[in-house]
Amino acid sequence: MQPLTELGDEALLDAVAASGGQPFQGRQVLHWLWRHGAEDFAQMANVPQRLRTALAARFVVRGSTLASASLASDGTEKLLLRLGDGETVECVLIPEGERTTLCISTQVGCPVRCVFCASGMDGVRRNLTTGEIVEQVLVARRRLPPGRRLTNLVVMGMGEPMLNLDALLPALQRIHDPAGIDMGARRITVSTSGYPRQMERFAAADPAYNLAVSLHAADDVLRRRLVPTAGHSVAEIVAAAHRYFGRKGREVTYEVVLLEGMNDRPEDAVALVETLGGLPCTVNLIPWNPVDELAAGGQLRRPAAVRVDAFAAALRRGGLKVTVRRQRGADQAAACGQLRRRELMAPPTGDRGSPTA
Ligand code: SAH
Ligand code: SF4
């Protein structure tokens, strides 16, 4: 049965009308769905029982369920959602002072296959639907303690967002909609490994979200070693990101996952300064979060803090703005894609599939 979360406003109003409901009742259902995050028809208190029954004969409210939740000692909570077809996808809640950031996924797996990333290890299974993307927000929102609300959204979970814009753009509209989830566009950031044509399309969409670009290296040969499927040069990607700034007025963030001896050398910092110097941007350094299977070969190593600091200092001397990401939720396999992999690899046990709340 189709989840209501897959329907646009008009389709939902039509469905309510076809089930014998009045237009105002359609708007009530919309309100329950997006504003209150109702999980089933029973929670839609002011919707008449007859209408709820008629809708329940044709629809479910949501398509995914919470399969597991694991809380790290630093307060980061990793959620695994089971989708209608049994696939799983991750999202992560990250409380930090007054802020609470949610990191969501756009695909089951990822076709880009960056050498350091758990999400890409088995390639992509499929795109998420619009409803599946938004449901991550609905599910995560309900986990927050009273008085805490979601303040920021980052599309930095599993998958390459630019390869699923058809589903992502309406999902972001939905998340942004002041009548529904109501998250400001300035608080939403989409991260891409660099698809210039799709970045243009993203730039053409309203409103203006923040863009992050996973650059990792300014040298094309080195970058292709890290992002083996990259079909575009660094120059093309940076040019597309700069056009995004020109159109939206939003400074782009460049992410660099640092791997010891591979892309954290002094010459790598020099190359980044040459490529990004003078552009309105910030570089976010992310010391690699080890993934067991990928670390096993010994090629990929997380750099020590002193190396990260030296790299950051070199970029700053070159005039770049730099932030360094603290490791969050490491004890719960926080690097994207790891929780899902762990579950796929784990032998079946009786209690898998039940929420650990
Ligand atoms: N596919 C998009 C968005 C999801 S990945 C992209 O690549 O931008 C989000 C960020 O997490 C990217 O910057 C990616 O390089 C980084 N990342 C992936 N695996 C990681 C790991 N094991 N440790 C640290 N960062 C990682
Ligand atoms: Fe895909 Fe991003 Fe992981 Fe690369 S880092 S494999 S683009 S999810």
Side-chain angles (χ1 to χ4, degrees):
M1 261 197 289
Q2 198 181 20
L4 285 186
T5 51
E6 299 294 352
L7 304 182
D9 285 2
E10 249 171 67
L12 188 138
L13 294 173
D14 287 350
V16 169
S19 302
Q22 301 293 318
F24 80 93
Q25 291 168 325
R27 288 191 294 277
Q28 285 174 335
V29 173
L30 275 173
H31 210 70
W32 279 110
L33 189 60
W34 301 117
R35 196 77 178 173
H36 299 301
E39 291 166 302
D40 55 46
F41 289 106
Q43 290 172 356
M44 302 185 180
N46 60 357
V47 176
Q49 182 63 48
R50 200 155 38 87
L51 178 54
R52 284 191 246 160
T53 308
L55 285 170
R58 291 174 57 206
F59 299 99
V60 288
V61 174
R62 293 194 192 164
S64 52
T65 52
L66 184 64
S68 70
S70 42
L71 192 62
S73 50
D74 63 3
T76 300
E77 190 174 40
K78 192 126 198 185
L79 308 176
L80 191 72
L81 267 59
R82 192 170 311 284
L83 308 176
D85 62 355
E87 296 285 1
T88 51
V89 71
E90 303 176 16
C91 54
V92 191
L93 264 172
I94 310 156
E96 223 169 351
E98 296 286 287
R99 274 159 76 123
T100 303
T101 302
L102 176 67
C103 175
I104 60 168
S105 297
T106 53
Q107 297 181 304
V108 181
C110 182
V112 184
R113 310 191 82 137
C114 301
V115 295
F116 50 80
C117 175
S119 298
M121 283 178 71
D122 302 318
V124 68
R125 302 269 303 177
R126 67 170 173 86
N127 282 336
L128 296 190
T129 62
T130 295
E132 288 167 343
I133 295 172
V134 187
E135 283 186 27
Q136 295 172 66
V137 181
L138 296 179
V139 169
R141 207 174 50 166
R142 277 191 100 85
R143 312 261 331 148
L144 298 174
R148 230 184 149 90
R149 57 190 300 261
L150 269 186
T151 57
N152 297 74
L153 184 80
V154 293
V155 186
M156 295 188 183
M158 295 165 53
E160 169 48 52
M162 292 300 146
L163 296 181
N164 190 14
L165 282 179
D166 284 347
L168 178 63
L169 290 176
L172 292 180
Q173 282 283 357
R174 182 57 88 191
I175 292 163
H176 171 63
D177 183 1
I181 296 172
D182 191 21
M183 184 171 279
R186 285 179 177 273
R187 297 177 174 277
I188 299 176
T189 301
V190 177
S191 172
T192 177
S193 59
Y195 287 82
R197 207 157 27 89
Q198 287 84 346
M199 286 157 74
E200 299 287 347
R201 187 175 157 206
F202 182 62
D206 272 335
Y209 307 106
N210 300 307
L211 179 69
V213 176
S214 296
L215 199 62
H216 309 312
D219 175 78
D220 278 311
V221 175
L222 174 56
R223 188 169 193 275
R224 269 211 188 91
R225 275 181 63 202
L226 302 171
V227 188
T229 62
H232 295 274
S233 67
V234 167
E236 289 171 304
I237 294 168
V238 171
H242 191 55
R243 282 196 297 278
Y244 190 84
F245 170 78
R247 192 154 176 173
K248 300 293 201 189
R250 289 289 162 84
E251 273 200 7
V252 172
T253 300
Y254 288 97
E255 297 158 280
V256 176
V257 171
L258 283 177
L259 293 151
E260 185 184 307
M262 281 184 104
N263 67 345
D264 73 340
R265 303 161 303 172
E267 59 263 43
D268 300 316
V270 169
L272 280 171
V273 167
E274 274 170 12
T275 301
L276 301 179
L279 292 175
C281 67
T282 298
V283 177
N284 186 15
L285 299 178
I286 313 170
W288 183 55
N289 204 344
V291 179
D292 287 348
E293 299 92 315
L294 297 173
Q299 302 258 14
L300 303 183
R301 293 179 306 274
R302 176 184 170 91
V306 287
R307 283 184 77 100
V308 176
D309 290 346
F311 197 84
L315 296 184
R316 288 192 183 109
R317 273 197 305 278
L320 295 177
K321 278 187 276 181
V322 183
T323 55
V324 179
R325 190 182 293 176
R326 269 192 318 130
Q327 192 169 20
R328 298 294 309 247
D331 49 341
Q332 297 296 336
C336 78
Q338 286 191 56
L339 190 69
R340 170 170 172 268
R341 276 195 69 78
R342 188 171 287 180
E343 188 191 83
L344 286 176
M345 301 297 162
T349 60
D351 61 3
R352 275 171 75 218
S354 59
T356 54

